[in-house]
Amino acid sequence: MSEFPKRKVLLRAQSFIQPEVHNPFTYELKLTGLDKLKVAFLSLTLFPLRLLSLSVLVLLASLISKLSMACMKEEDEQQPLTGIRRILRKPLRGIGRAMLFCMGFHWVKVKGTLSSSEEAPILAIAPHSSFIDPLALAVFCLPSGVSREENDSIPLLGACIRATQPVYVRRGDRNSRRQTIYEIKRRANSGRKWPHIVIFPEGTCTNRKCLITFKPGAFYTGCPVQPVAIKYPNRMDTVTWTWSGPSALTLFWLTLCQFHNNMEIELLPVYKPDTEEIHDGKLFARNVRDKVAKILEVPVTEHTYEDTRLMVQASKQNLPSSVGLVEYEKISSKLSIKLDSMKELLNRFAEIDADKDGLVNVQEFANYLNLPLTRAVKRVFSLYDRDNSGFLDFREYLIGLALVSQPGKIEEVMEAAFQAFDMDGDGRVDETELRHILQSAHPSITDLDVNCLFNQVDVKRKGSVTFNEFHEFAVSHPEYGALFINREENQTDSASASSKPHQGHLPHEAEA
């Protein structure tokens, strides 16, 4: 039996349970011996023909795109194409469909009806799992998109993108997001003069096992949205492109080495936001995501593009990249921890994780605190170990720090703790005072434990510390917060012991 009773996770803390799909950013492609023989044969026969055909089509699309935008003034680009320019643009959809055919998508099953751009100016495409997704739109329309301004300079493809008159996003402009929302609204109110605007609200590619957080940017417009679901029901999946898996070139080659590839597109009914959703873009985005997830029969998670950035940071610290997967949207919103702070905490977690396996055991935790492995240290560790597994992952570490040392209460806790430690009221705390208070709250803490802890706080070796020194230590070492918070609880419990029995509980757990 465990040394400590299993903690009861209160209702609000249930929101921190692990997602059904732990890592939506990884994909492993397995080829059988027969698959390898087929790819080898088609690489010498079908692949060169398809590659040549695609090259010709891309050159043709680029030429038509440049003609449609030739001699066009910058101010004219802010208006929908008309006349001969609009006519020249129409063949691009046929070329896009021909490119799909050359890639093996001979017949694409389409379910549902495309709405007018006046009824639903935004098409929300999900899941986003492949570089083929944008090309799939040519099956039913030729929309505009939301594109980085840098994409305009891509050879050949840049001209094609420009001909669709996308809404450009300028990363270096702080007002870019506001301008993007304004531009989408302006086009939405044009009365069908502009084509649909397509968005991939997940913001990055996944393995299609779930739908991650929909970025709310385009949903802040409050415009009606038509969700579109894309499926690739193939025995061998050669299209899924994720952060961890085959490269885009490998997938492109394997896709062209298939006799036939399947694709299904379902156009869902137009989703018109209610008053609450119009004023809450995140709610609007979540509800649209739920509609698509129900059609696809997949779960939803709160992972975002920021999780991939944490994966990169984990790799830099020689940790498994999956350590960075924390469901950023959920953790960030509930615990008020931003990406830069998470990166700093991930670096600290790497210092605790001595063997770099992505999991911290109680001995590593004690070593990091520079304390012996006592019952008190085990108790502090248990506050972080939410599933009682005996190990901490980075997600548990983040949640533990937020619950044990909440930013909104840490100042109050430190002031109260210091005042309690300063028994003679001289504005300084020595080791004897620290020992008296900590051992009254944690009887298992030994004199050696207190000496180790005091020496870490008293870096100047003066024999006593001021509040500023105590404060600096507590801020830089929030893992010790549980010792101070438990002291406050015990003090309260002692005061009320005469009126009701003492019941131990996790500090601030219900506030999760």
Side-chain angles (χ1 to χ4, degrees):
M1 182 177 294
S2 173
E3 186 175 0
F4 300 102
K6 187 172 182 178
R7 302 187 306 277
K8 179 180 179 181
V9 181
L10 302 184
L11 180 62
R12 294 186 64 186
Q14 290 291 338
S15 61
F16 285 122
I17 60 175
Q18 287 282 0
E20 185 174 337
V21 177
H22 177 60
N23 191 346
F25 306 111
T26 185
Y27 170 63
E28 182 179 2
L29 177 61
K30 296 181 179 179
L31 300 179
T32 65
L34 183 60
D35 291 331
K36 293 177 181 178
L37 286 175
K38 183 179 72 172
V39 168
F41 173 73
L42 294 179
S43 294
L44 301 174
T45 55
L46 186 60
F47 176 76
L49 294 175
R50 284 180 167 176
L51 183 61
L52 178 61
S53 300
L54 284 171
S55 300
V56 172
L57 289 171
V58 170
L59 286 170
L60 181 59
S62 178
L63 176 61
I64 293 175
S65 298
K66 288 182 177 180
L67 287 174
S68 68
M69 304 295 288
C71 302
M72 198 170 188
K73 297 179 180 179
E74 185 174 350
E75 56 269 21
D76 293 335
E77 293 183 10
Q78 304 303 315
Q79 301 301 323
L81 297 179
T82 58
I84 187 64
R85 296 184 188 277
R86 191 179 185 95
I87 294 173
L88 283 172
R89 184 179 181 272
K90 290 184 177 180
L92 292 177
R93 179 183 170 189
I95 294 175
R97 184 64 188 89
M99 292 175 68
L100 283 174
F101 186 87
C102 290
M103 297 179 73
F105 296 95
H106 303 143
W107 300 278
V108 178
K109 182 179 179 181
V110 179
K111 181 180 179 180
T113 305
L114 179 66
S115 65
S116 68
S117 59
E118 183 178 22
E119 182 183 4
I122 299 175
L123 301 177
I125 316 297
H128 186 21
S129 62
S130 174
F131 50 83
I132 299 173
D133 293 342
L135 197 59
L137 303 174
V139 174
F140 57 89
C141 70
L142 187 64
S144 295
V146 177
S147 174
R148 295 182 305 166
E149 193 173 39
E150 296 87 344
N151 291 341
D152 191 53
S153 59
I154 299 176
L156 300 179
L157 294 179
C160 300
I161 294 172
R162 189 176 183 185
T164 64
Q165 292 190 287
V167 178
Y168 283 115
V169 176
R170 297 172 176 82
R171 286 188 168 183
D173 187 353
R174 293 183 178 180
N175 297 319
S176 180
R177 177 179 173 182
R178 184 182 306 170
Q179 292 171 352
T180 299
I181 295 174
Y182 169 79
E183 180 62 16
I184 294 176
K185 283 185 175 181
R186 185 180 74 85
R187 296 189 183 192
N189 297 323
S190 67
R192 302 183 67 172
K193 293 180 180 179
W194 287 93
H196 294 86
I197 297 174
V198 63
I199 61 171
F200 292 91
E202 290 177 294
T204 189
C205 289
T206 69
N207 56 19
R208 292 198 304 280
K209 301 298 183 182
C210 65
L211 289 184
I212 64 174
T213 301
F214 277 17
K215 295 287 187 179
F219 295 93
Y220 283 126
T221 64
C223 299
V225 171
Q226 182 165 26
V228 181
I230 298 182
K231 304 176 184 178
Y232 295 94
N234 298 295
R235 182 192 65 81
M236 186 167 71
D237 182 3
T238 62
V239 301
T240 298
W241 181 35
T242 60
W243 282 80
S244 177
S247 67
L249 287 177
T250 298
L251 293 172
F252 178 73
W253 163 55
L254 292 175
T255 299
L256 266 59
C257 289
Q258 305 302 310
F259 287 114
H260 175 69
N261 294 300
N262 294 303
M263 178 193 297
E264 296 178 3
I265 300 174
E266 184 166 352
L267 298 150
L268 280 63
V270 174
Y271 190 103
K272 297 181 178 179
D274 57 26
T275 303
E276 185 178 4
E277 291 169 327
I278 289 175
H279 293 92
D280 188 346
K282 290 186 177 180
L283 175 64
F284 187 7
R286 284 197 302 270
N287 291 341
V288 171
R289 181 183 62 166
D290 291 343
K291 290 288 185 182
V292 181
K294 185 176 181 180
I295 292 295
L296 295 171
E297 297 182 339
V298 297
V300 298
T301 72
E302 301 309 317
H303 293 101
T304 66
Y305 171 71
E306 284 74 16
D307 282 281
T308 64
R309 296 178 65 181
L310 289 171
M311 290 173 65
V312 172
Q313 186 68 19
S315 297
K316 290 180 179 179
Q317 296 296 325
N318 297 319
L319 295 170
S321 61
S322 59
V323 170
L325 291 170
V326 297
E327 282 195 296
Y328 177 82
E329 179 63 24
K330 178 187 291 185
I331 300 298
S332 176
S333 60
K334 289 185 176 294
L335 303 182
S336 299
I337 307 177
K338 298 304 179 183
L339 181 62
D340 288 342
S341 297
M342 284 194 193
K343 286 184 176 180
E344 293 177 5
L345 292 174
L346 181 55
N347 294 341
R348 181 183 297 168
F349 181 82
E351 295 177 12
I352 304 175
D353 185 12
D355 56 9
K356 306 300 181 185
D357 64 350
L359 295 173
V360 170
N361 59 38
V362 66
Q363 184 62 62
E364 289 174 318
F365 189 76
N367 292 343
Y368 175 75
L369 296 181
N370 197 25
L371 290 173
L373 184 55
T374 62
R375 180 179 174 85
V377 172
K378 292 179 181 179
R379 174 59 181 167
V380 173
F381 182 84
S382 72
L383 300 181
Y384 291 81
D385 184 14
R386 301 177 62 77
D387 58 1
N388 292 287
S389 65
F391 296 92
L392 303 181
D393 58 23
F394 179 56
R395 192 172 188 271
E396 288 178 307
Y397 179 68
L398 277 178
I399 297 171
L401 283 180
L403 297 181
V404 172
S405 305
Q406 293 186 27
K409 295 190 175 182
I410 190 62
E411 295 291 337
E412 177 184 346
V413 170
M414 284 190 291
E415 289 183 13
F418 186 84
Q419 290 175 7
F421 293 149
D422 185 14
M423 299 173 63
D424 56 10
D426 64 352
R428 303 186 69 87
V429 170
D430 58 27
E431 185 176 337
T432 302
E433 292 172 319
L434 182 65
R435 179 184 300 110
H436 177 82
I437 294 296
L438 282 182
Q439 290 184 341
S440 66
H442 305 278
S444 62
I445 290 182
T446 66
D447 290 352
L448 180 60
D449 297 340
V450 177
N451 179 258
C452 289
L453 176 58
F454 185 80
N455 286 337
Q456 292 184 68
V457 183
D458 185 21
V459 293
K460 296 181 179 180
R461 299 294 184 266
K462 293 182 177 180
S464 62
V465 295
T466 64
F467 175 74
N468 288 336
E469 292 170 326
F470 179 77
H471 179 277
E472 182 178 349
F473 173 80
V475 169
S476 59
H477 298 80
E479 295 84 3
Y480 288 96
L483 295 174
F484 305 142
I485 292 174
N486 277 2
R487 187 211 62 78
E488 289 294 299
E489 289 179 345
N490 284 17
Q491 189 179 58
T492 302
D493 290 338
S494 297
S496 58
S498 59
S499 59
K500 60 180 180 181
H502 171 74
Q503 294 182 345
H505 60 280
L506 237 180
H508 308 309
E509 179 84 16
E511 298 181 17

